[in-house]
Amino acid sequence: MMYRKICGFTAIFLFFAAVFTALPVHANKDSEHLRLAREYIKVSITDQMLDEMSAVGASQLLEIIKKKNPEIEAEKSEKIHELVIWHLKAGMLLSLADIDTVVAEIYTPDELQFMLDFSKSEIGQSAIKKTPKYMEAILPIIQNSMVVIMPSLFIKLKEEGLLPKNPEE
């Protein structure tokens, strides 16, 4: 079960990491292009979204910590939860500071302007507010698919000689 939680949380993190790191970054974008990228990031990734995503991730990590350390008292558990939330949000904020160039590399100025206009609209704001709930809802689906896929993937990797046949190898 712990493997499922880690796989699901990791899959979501890797999805976002892949989106923002898939293309090479070049700092030669003009200032208007980067301004649009920064504004889109600011509008589309809200504090509420970061808070909710941090809380979801922290709850999952706390569940794992409690399973490994069942003797943890409720008071300590609460403090652990708060610290994990703080660290997760801080990590996400740090990564946001560096993605403007990547966003500008992936999207054209016209695409950014369209996404920005949508994100600022009433419907766009509603969609943005629902994103953490969406991510939380798809997590079990991702976890289940990872549980199904991973064993056969590791078997195939071992058959192809890309991984050792025994864990001790």
Side-chain angles (χ1 to χ4, degrees), residues 78-134:
E78 216 173 287
K79 287 182 181 182
I80 290 169
H81 191 255
E82 289 172 15
L83 278 171
V84 172
I85 287 175
W86 188 90
H87 280 83
L88 287 175
K89 186 172 180 182
M92 285 188 254
L93 286 170
L94 285 173
S95 66
L96 288 177
D98 297 326
I99 65 171
D100 57 348
T101 307
V102 177
V103 170
E105 185 67 31
I106 293 170
Y107 300 106
T108 68
D110 288 342
E111 290 168 332
L112 283 168
Q113 188 61 60
F114 179 83
M115 293 186 308
L116 185 55
D117 292 343
F118 173 74
S119 296
K120 287 180 175 180
S121 73
E122 189 176 325
I123 293 172
Q125 284 296 300
S126 177
I128 288 168
K129 286 177 185 169
K130 293 175 183 175
T131 300
K133 288 183 186 200
Y134 161 74

